[in-house]
Amino acid sequence: MSDGHALYLQVNGLSTHAWVRGSGPPLVIVPGLGCASWMYVRVSRELAKSRTVYVYDPPGHGYSQGLRHLPESIGELTDHLAEWLEMAGLAGAPVFGHSLGGEVAFDLAARYPTHASALIACAPTGIPENPSVLAQLVRLSVDLPRERLSLLVPGLRAYAHCGVRRMLKLAHDQELHDTGPLLGQIKVPTLLIDGTSDPVIRLWTLEAIRNAIPHALVCEIKGGTHALTDVYPRTVARYTLDFLENVN
């Protein structure tokens, strides 16, 4: 990531990294489970044409420090993100969450209603019924061969850094995380972006989220897989920037 610069902040004793690029109003990207800031180069570059993009690394992900016992739950990820937004002076900025990052964004908007002015949830988890860890692994194994081969190495690097134990703990908590009540508390403008060929997030799951957040807008990318941010960065950026221009 040659363009932009790294931002490190101490959040509750943990060195927390974000990669910053672009200029204009801020936009925060929250990665998916086990993912890292370097996996979002393509979409962040497109978004940075109109925004100052902060690609945040959650604790234990990417270049951010974690502890053996932290984080192990969606709530801990959300609490850390809320603290980081305050310390970075970004509380109230729009938040873009991919996959599990979308679920964290939902949690943030419900429990910290002043911390996000708008949500963009791309291929989000966070449905009223989350699959078991085994089902998640099976779906991911189906999706991986459909993604760009050049994402494999940075993806494996990110997963290795996060660690199997942490990923399994978070995936298990995801299975238990009841977003039903939380989704109904989201009042900020919300955009849902989904790929029609995503085996991880089924089309009916987006409908469940849409029913729980009646004001949410939905954009579908025909043939899109789970890594929409990498395979369709321009389309995702266009939907996102158009949405933010109208609401933020």
Side-chain angles (χ1 to χ4, degrees), residues 63-81:
Y63 296 116
S64 290
Q65 182 183 9
L67 301 174
R68 178 173 173 79
H69 64 283
L70 182 73
E72 293 184 340
S73 70
I74 307 297
E76 289 171 347
L77 289 173
T78 303
D79 293 341
H80 186 275
L81 173 61

Side-chain angles (χ1 to χ4, degrees), residues 1 6 22 35 40 44 47-48 60 71 76 78 108 117 124 132 136 142 168 176 184-185 189-190 194 216 220 246-247:
M1 295 187 296
C35 297
Y40 295 86
S44 63
L47 291 166
E76 289 171 347
T78 303
L108 179 79
S117 59
S132 67
Q136 292 181 57
V142 172
L168 289 176
L176 303 175
Q185 298 175 36
T190 301
D194 187 43
E220 292 184 351
N246 289 324
V247 305

Side-chain angles (χ1 to χ4, degrees), residues 128-245:
E129 177 271 325
N130 272 322
S132 67
V133 174
L134 178 59
Q136 292 181 57
L137 292 174
V138 170
R139 292 182 184 183
L140 184 61
S141 67
V142 172
D143 178 70
L144 285 176
R146 305 181 184 185
E147 306 296 354
R148 285 195 323 128
L149 185 60
S150 55
L151 184 64
L152 181 61
V153 172
L156 291 176
R157 176 185 164 210
Y159 293 160
H161 179 82
C162 186
V164 173
R165 179 185 179 277
R166 191 187 312 279
M167 291 181 65
L168 289 176
K169 282 279 189 179
L170 289 170
H172 179 64
D173 186 69
Q174 185 180 3
E175 179 185 350
L176 303 175
H177 189 225
D178 183 8
T179 58
L182 293 174
L183 292 174
Q185 298 175 36
I186 295 174
K187 305 303 180 185
V188 298
T190 301
L191 172 66
L192 308 175
I193 304 176
D194 187 43
T196 59
S197 297
D198 183 352
V200 179
I201 308 300
R202 309 297 177 85
L203 292 178
W204 71 264
T205 67
L206 262 290
E207 187 62 28
I209 296 173
R210 175 66 178 81
N211 289 337
I213 312 175
H215 64 271
L217 301 176
V218 179
C219 290
E220 292 184 351
I221 298 178
K222 187 175 181 180
T225 55
H226 192 58
L228 291 172
T229 52
D230 182 75
V231 181
Y232 297 91
R234 290 183 180 178
T235 304
V236 170
R238 185 178 74 250
Y239 286 153
T240 299
L241 295 174
D242 288 349
F243 168 73
L244 291 176
E245 185 177 348

